Amino acid sequence: MTNCSIYLSKQQQSTALCIPVKDDFSRVPQEVLNQLGNLEYLKTIDLDIVTNPMGMDNVEIVKRNFETQGYHIQKFAIQFNELG
């Protein structure tokens, strides 16, 4: 099972931080956290089950980023405040 915990950036609309362990930001550089600003937890998904969750990048890219840098930055085509 490859977990992906998704946090929405309050500062950068339509941007999310994805990490493999919920609430473990230890591998995310402070500079990245500063750029994203306050984060709001959205959900945790299993990347081995979902092929294209919420319009995210290719699952294999997310997994590779988890292995190489410990996190993944996801840009979405819509702003989350447009969802309602």
Side-chain angles (χ1 to χ4, degrees):
M1 179 160 81
T2 305
N3 282 336
C4 174
S5 293
I6 304 168
Y7 295 82
L8 304 179
S9 170
K10 295 282 198 163
Q11 187 168 318
Q12 294 185 21
Q13 292 294 321
S14 72
T15 302
L17 172 67
C18 305
I19 53 177
V21 178
K22 184 180 179 194
D23 296 332
D24 181 1
F25 299 96
S26 62
R27 293 188 62 198
V28 183
Q30 189 60 49
E31 179 180 320
V32 172
L33 293 172
N34 291 344
Q35 290 174 355
L36 293 173
N38 291 334
L39 297 170
E40 179 181 347
Y41 174 74
L42 178 63
K43 67 187 324 186
T44 298
I45 58 174
D46 182 352
L47 294 178
D48 294 328
I49 295 174
V50 183
T51 55
N52 188 14
M54 300 170 30
M56 288 178 60
D57 291 333
N58 180 293
V59 168
E60 295 307 315
I61 293 171
V62 177
K63 289 180 180 180
R64 184 173 57 241
N65 285 342
F66 282 177
E67 290 175 16
T68 59
Q69 62 189 23
Y71 67 96
H72 175 76
I73 300 294
Q74 177 64 51
K75 300 280 188 175
F76 293 98
I78 62 167
Q79 292 186 358
F80 293 107
N81 60 3
E82 294 175 359
L83 297 177

